Amino acid sequence: MYPAVTLQLPAWVAAEIGDSQRYFPTLEARMALAICLAERNVVEGAGGPFGAAVFEIESGLLVAPGVNIVAAARCSVAHAEAMAIMVAQQVCGAFDLSGKGLPPMELVTSAQPCIQCFGNVWWSGLQRLVIGARKEDVETLVGFDEGPLPENWPARLENRAPLPPVRVVRDVLREQACAPLRLYRERGGLVYNAGSL
Ligand SMILES: [Zn+2]
């Protein structure tokens, strides 16, 4: 038998969010949560300086949070966006978040998705992608590499017939979204691009 693979968000994530259903009416409020998760992930020493969350677009209901646990989980897949998507799919009981009976959902992420998370968004059924910090912020402030994203990747998400579009909204609270990146650098956080260790 090969080992089973289990990815578990740190316990503090649930404590940070609380037990009750929470609604975040504006994009700024949703991004503020993603940034808060990214900052606390750095403070807790839990992983890279990235936070994300899946929301119902219309109601603003938080479906699932995510933080980066790559190093702790020994798993290069466990980026914040991937964690939020995977947890949301378990919450909804569906691999397709645009599946029957589900309301339209979005991913809000403190920093621009890397090549892997671009693919995760592509296949997830999410219908909107909301981004705080840009690739150049991530690369300049901490040195993480986002990989070779397709040129015009936002347009590729928005125009991908016959698949439904994924709308892209950028620069939401961009300056605030840089704070966890700076904090991570100040604390000497690990930059773990493949081949860098
Ligand atoms: Zn990623």
Side-chain angles (χ1 to χ4, degrees):
M1 286 282 280
Y2 292 105
V5 178
T6 303
L7 295 172
Q8 176 81 60
L9 288 171
W12 62 260
V13 173
E16 177 80 39
I17 288 166
D19 290 333
S20 57
Q21 286 200 326
R22 288 188 60 188
Y23 292 86
F24 296 76
T26 64
L27 281 191
E28 286 75 17
R30 298 172 198 181
M31 182 59 71
L33 176 69
I35 295 169
C36 167
L37 292 171
E39 278 181 334
R40 183 143 179 209
N41 207 44
V42 176
V43 171
E44 298 278 349
F50 305 106
V54 171
F55 295 92
E56 291 183 7
I57 292 175
E58 291 301 321
S59 72
L61 175 69
L62 172 64
V63 179
V67 293
N68 177 297
I69 57 166
V70 166
R74 300 185 296 279
C75 176
S76 64
V77 173
H79 291 187
E81 302 97 314
M83 292 300 297
I85 290 169
M86 290 190 286
V87 174
Q89 288 166 335
Q90 296 310 302
V91 168
C92 297
F95 62 82
D96 178 0
L97 293 173
S98 63
K100 250 190 176 161
L102 293 173
M105 282 179 242
E106 69 185 353
L107 179 72
V108 177
T109 174
S110 65
Q112 179 179 314
C114 70
I115 179 174
Q116 167 189 291
C117 295
F118 171 82
N120 291 333
V121 169
W122 186 279
W123 298 121
S124 62
L126 290 163
Q127 297 181 39
R128 191 162 70 181
L129 172 62
V130 182
I131 303 165
R134 286 189 174 236
K135 166 189 165 82
E136 49 265 42
D137 301 327
V138 175
E139 293 185 345
T140 306
L141 292 174
V142 272
F144 281 108
D145 182 357
E146 301 293 348
L149 281 161
E151 211 174 320
N152 299 326
W153 59 269
R156 296 291 298 272
L157 283 167
E158 296 198 351
N159 306 294
R160 52 176 209 152
L163 292 171
V166 180
R167 303 289 174 207
V168 179
V169 183
R170 306 176 79 180
D171 300 330
V172 176
L173 301 185
R174 180 181 174 187
E175 188 48 43
Q176 291 94 313
C178 290
L181 305 175
R182 290 196 183 92
L183 183 64
Y184 192 73
R185 184 185 57 189
E186 286 163 16
R187 291 181 169 228
L190 179 68
V191 177
Y192 48 72
N193 298 319
S196 66
L197 298 179

